[in-house]
């Protein structure tokens, strides 16, 4: 069965960008593929999180993944650091990755700009660990948002290089894009991101969301309600595209252009439609929080399955590169 793999960092709370850009596809792909989904706590170390906050974030992100519809009976859901093979393979792949390739990564430039006081080596080699995450499960489908596409291209190149040097061993992963690969933040200028403080949180209440939406950027040229607006340049209208049925969207479009509908009312409609999606997720999350033991069981079972699958790949890889006897029938001396 073809495998799918993806990961989310436990840094801050999940937002609707994570949900639309990645989680929606995780839920869909688990039906079709053998799925491995991972809370990538080793990646989060690049931001040197407070240990207590990190532990809490791992649990909250796991809860968010489950509440969004990932089914632990179908998908293997686990925490990256519970599977030591991730770090082992990352080292092996780092010895195959030219510095020049890492230098091209735009996320490194963004992230080092965000934390100039802590530009650590992990931030630079981060895409290699991400490649290891994928390759360890021999995954061929990787659901991610647009911001991760460059990392996926690097992963593909690394796989090609490995196969060229050591013989055909690993499959090339492909990106699976969602219908919302780049959700913009409340500022309307940068992508929604945990580190930019411009997000609509997945667990926020309807009131909190409406409060945030009040300050969200709309069509910059529309200053008064009586000015006609242009939905094509309005970020709030773009969000309606993900949460609002087509007929209501057409009404909003017409109302905005004719100035019959004001921005405040348009935002209230969006908040109500967002709540249709977020309300049930919030409720499922509350139930999961009441059963911490259940969460521990899910993660322990996931880690055991992930370790077993990872070890199969590692045995193959170690044999190919000369760290162990080559596997029987591998064609290697
Ligand atoms: P992370 O934790 O930043 O984001 C998790 C997922 O959410 C997507 N995403 C978005 N999609 C659309 N619009 C947005 N504004 C938005 N913000 C985030 C991301 O593209 C991602 O799919 N390096 C990865 C995690 C990772 C990973 C992996 C992913 C580690 N190992 C292996 C896939 C496979 C990251 O930092 O994602």
């Amino acid at each position: 069965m073809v495998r799918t793999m993806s990961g989310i960092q436990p840094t801050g709370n999940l937002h609707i960008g994570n949900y639309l850009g990645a989680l929606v596809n995780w839920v869909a792909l688990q039906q079709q593929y053998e799925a491995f989904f991972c809370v990538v706590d080793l990646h989060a170390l690049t931001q040197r999180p407070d240990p207590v906050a990190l532990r809490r974030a791992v649990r909250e992100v796991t809860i968010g993944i489950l509440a969004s519809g990932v089914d632990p009976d179908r998908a293997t859901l686990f925490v990256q650091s519970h599977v030591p093979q991730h770090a082992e393979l990352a080292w092996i792949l780092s010895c195959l990755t030219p510095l020049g390739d890492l230098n091209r990564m735009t996320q490194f430039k963004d992230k080092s700009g965000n934390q100039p006081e802590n530009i650590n080596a992990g931030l630079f080699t981060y895409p290699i660990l991400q490649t290891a995450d994928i390759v360890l499960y021999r995954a061929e489908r990787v659901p991610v948002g647009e911001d991760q596409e460059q990392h996926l291209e690097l992963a593909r190149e690394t796989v090609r290089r490995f196969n060229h040097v050591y013989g055909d061993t690993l499959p090339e992963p492909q990106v699976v894009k969602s219908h919302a690969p780049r959700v913009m933040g409340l500022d309307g200028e940068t992508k929604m991101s945990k580190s930019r403080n411009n997000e609509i949180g997945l667990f926020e209440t309807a009131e909190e969301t409406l409060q945030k939406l009040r300050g969200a950027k709309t069509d910059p040229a529309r200053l008064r309600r009586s000015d006609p607006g242009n939905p094509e340049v309005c970020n709030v209208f773009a969000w309606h595209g993900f949460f609002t049925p087509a007929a209501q969207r057409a009404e909003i479009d017409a109302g905005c252009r004719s100035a019959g509908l004001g921005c405040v009312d348009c935002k209230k409609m969006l908040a109500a439609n967002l709540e249709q999606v977020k309300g049930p997720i919030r409720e499922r999350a509350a139930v999961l929080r009441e059963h911490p033991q259940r969460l521990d069981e899910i993660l322990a079972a996931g880690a055991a399955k992930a370790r077993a699958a990872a070890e199969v790949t590692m045995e193959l890889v170690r044999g190919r590169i000369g760290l162990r006897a080559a596997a029987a029938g591998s064609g290697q001396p």
Side-chain angles (χ1 to χ4, degrees), residues 5-11 14-23 26 38 40 43 80 107 111 126 129-131 133-134 142-149 151-152 178 180-185 190-194:
M5 191 280 156
S6 200
I8 291 194
Q9 286 201 62
T11 43
L14 292 180
H15 52 66
I16 61 166
N18 300 131
Y19 178 74
L20 294 171
L23 286 174
W26 292 23
C38 182
V40 292
H43 278 94
Q80 188 183 29
Q107 275 227 340
K111 288 190 176 176
Y126 178 111
L129 181 58
Q130 181 161 350
T131 301
D133 298 341
I134 299 164
V142 185
V144 282
E146 195 177 272
D147 58 344
Q148 297 300 321
E149 283 185 25
H151 290 168
L152 259 289
S178 79
R182 184 177 163 85
V183 178
M184 300 302 279
T190 51
K191 77 162 181 152
M192 190 171 286
S193 151
K194 292 169 216 163

Side-chain angles (χ1 to χ4, degrees), residues 204-214 275 282:
E204 278 171 8
T205 63
E207 297 76 52
E208 284 166 337
T209 299
L210 186 57
Q211 199 54 39
K212 282 193 176 176
L213 283 177
R214 282 186 207 283
E275 182 58 13
R282 215 170 44 240

Side-chain angles (χ1 to χ4, degrees), residues 23-274:
L23 286 174
V24 164
N25 264 353
W26 292 23
V27 173
L29 293 172
Q30 68 181 348
Q31 309 288 340
Q32 218 179 324
Y33 299 108
E34 187 180 356
F36 291 85
F37 298 136
C38 182
V39 180
V40 292
D41 55 349
L42 295 177
H43 278 94
L45 294 181
T46 54
Q47 294 177 41
R48 206 178 299 155
D50 169 71
V52 176
L54 177 61
R55 257 192 294 276
R56 205 183 137 266
V58 166
R59 295 186 80 79
E60 279 297 297
V61 167
T62 307
I63 287 171
I65 294 169
L66 291 166
S68 298
V70 166
D71 175 358
D73 291 330
R74 276 184 182 278
T76 302
L77 177 61
F78 64 102
V79 179
Q80 188 183 29
S81 65
H82 297 180
V83 183
Q85 288 89 341
H86 285 254
E88 183 185 359
L89 185 56
W91 173 256
I92 291 169
L93 297 180
S94 74
C95 298
L96 276 175
T97 309
L99 281 186
D101 287 12
L102 293 175
N103 257 328
R104 288 205 316 272
M105 297 295 115
T106 55
Q107 275 227 340
F108 171 69
K109 287 168 199 153
D110 287 354
K111 288 190 176 176
S112 35
N114 283 345
Q115 51 184 73
E117 72 299 337
N118 180 21
I119 305 178
N120 56 73
L123 212 51
F124 189 63
T125 56
Y126 178 111
I128 303 176
L129 181 58
Q130 181 161 350
T131 301
D133 298 341
I134 299 164
V135 164
L136 204 46
Y137 303 99
R138 307 175 60 78
E140 293 176 62
R141 303 282 183 280
V142 185
V144 282
E146 195 177 272
D147 58 344
Q148 297 300 321
E149 283 185 25
Q150 199 186 28
H151 290 168
L152 259 289
E153 197 39 56
L154 184 97
R156 289 159 63 81
E157 261 169 48
T158 306
V159 163
R160 286 196 285 267
R161 195 171 295 116
F162 188 102
N163 289 344
H164 177 71
V165 176
Y166 296 112
D168 219 4
T169 313
L170 305 166
E172 265 185 48
Q174 275 173 29
V175 170
V176 182
K177 274 198 205 188
S178 79
H179 67 301
R182 184 177 163 85
V183 178
M184 300 302 279
L186 288 160
D187 52 14
E189 280 157 23
T190 51
K191 77 162 181 152
M192 190 171 286
S193 151
K194 292 169 216 163
S195 56
R196 287 215 174 83
N197 212 10
N198 66 358
E199 79 270 32
I200 296 179
L202 202 54
F203 295 147
E204 278 171 8
T205 63
E207 297 76 52
E208 284 166 337
T209 299
L210 186 57
Q211 199 54 39
K212 282 193 176 176
L213 283 177
R214 282 186 207 283
K217 284 272 169 58
T218 54
D219 169 0
R222 192 178 186 195
L223 300 177
R224 288 171 297 267
R225 185 190 167 105
S226 53
D227 297 333
N230 179 3
E232 282 155 40
V233 298
C234 176
N235 191 33
V236 172
F237 189 72
W239 286 333
H240 272 291
F242 307 127
F243 294 101
T244 302
Q248 194 186 24
R249 236 164 44 228
E251 280 170 31
I252 294 170
D253 184 279
C256 176
R257 288 179 198 279
S258 66
L261 177 73
C263 290
V264 175
D265 293 331
C266 176
K267 287 175 174 178
K268 281 185 183 158
M269 290 159 108
L270 176 65
N273 294 341
L274 265 165

